Amino acid sequence: MHKLTELPAWERLFKKIIWKQIGDIRDKKILDFGSGEGITADHFAEHNDVTAIEPDEDMLQNAWTDHAYTRIVGDVSALAEFADDTFDIVICHNVLEYIDDKKSVVQELTRVLKPGGIMSVAKHNRTGRIMQMAVLLDDFDKANALLDGKNSTASKFGEIRYYEDDEINEWVSDLDVEKCYGIRTFWDLQQKQEKHADEEWQEAMASLDMRVSEMEAFRQIAFFHHLILKNNHREEIEAENPFMKEAIAEALEGIYNGHGGPFGCVIVKDGKIVGRGHNRVLAIIDSTAHGEISAIRDAEKALGTHDLSGCELYTTGEPCPMCLNAILWANIEKVYYGCTISDNAGIGFRDEKFDQLSGGREAFQDFLVCIDRPACQRLFEVYNSLEHVIY
């Protein structure tokens, strides 16, 4: 079993801090791209399904493997083996600055990252490097060269091609920075380097570094920046019926925000939408906050009446018994739904069970009309690809 004390002092501190910033992750599918000797991959493999990709075969052969994980020798082209939306988390630590075509790499990493997934990117910070050259290494020529916008060199990997934190969002607009941490803020200001390997000193330094890691003044001079980015890609699903398309859009809004199941609804009168809503059971902790109920309430408020005679309802999933009865009480004249009760059961919802208890719905065959089922089934697929709670 490997121990962190085997690592150089600076790397040991780096790992301790960045792992704390990522947090205690369990039961996730993780990609470590540019995994090096697999130290981070091995760490997270204890409780997760981890894949490590590294172009240097020698590094992979010497990788830490105290815990089982998949190791692949390759570069960005190796990602072609993976389907879209494969991983919950993508780790890319101190890799992009050694690559010329950063944009293409980030785009491909985003492709395999699930919507709502997290990308952890560690990168050199030019200002922190200047501090290191001027204070720790006493190299004014290199400090001035960095100030002039020139790149620097790492002894092991070659030229460091600096890039700014916000460039990632320019390359992939769906990737938004959720957090930006500093790492190794004080290390390069510490002259007593013989202390660096002392474990007690390391713990004290890590604690101090963590304390200031989100303070802007300290983050500006940190040697590394650690970006936590979220994939905020939101799929657009086309439907033949324009009102069902609006219902799907409502559902997508709900599932991307973790409000509840993939059920969106609009209510239409005289060809115009008068009410809309989506499932908000988890958002407001209300087991009755289904999409149809939310839309009915919205329509009644907009029209100033409890009587929705002359209205039609469009919903992404066949209404459950509760919603069906609410629809009848509201005097809605027709219901168009996408996915069936059986489809709902297929993603873990209990509508079918309750339907049997209430005697089925054969009497409603003319009242309930199925349309745009393929589009709504795609909605259910998107929901299944996201982290969600079944209730």
Side-chain angles (χ1 to χ4, degrees), residues 239-263:
E240 292 183 9
N241 184 285
F243 298 125
M244 185 59 78
K245 182 178 179 179
E246 290 295 318
I248 291 171
E250 272 291 328
L252 287 169
E253 178 69 19
I255 64 174
Y256 281 128
N257 286 293
H259 290 171
F263 306 108

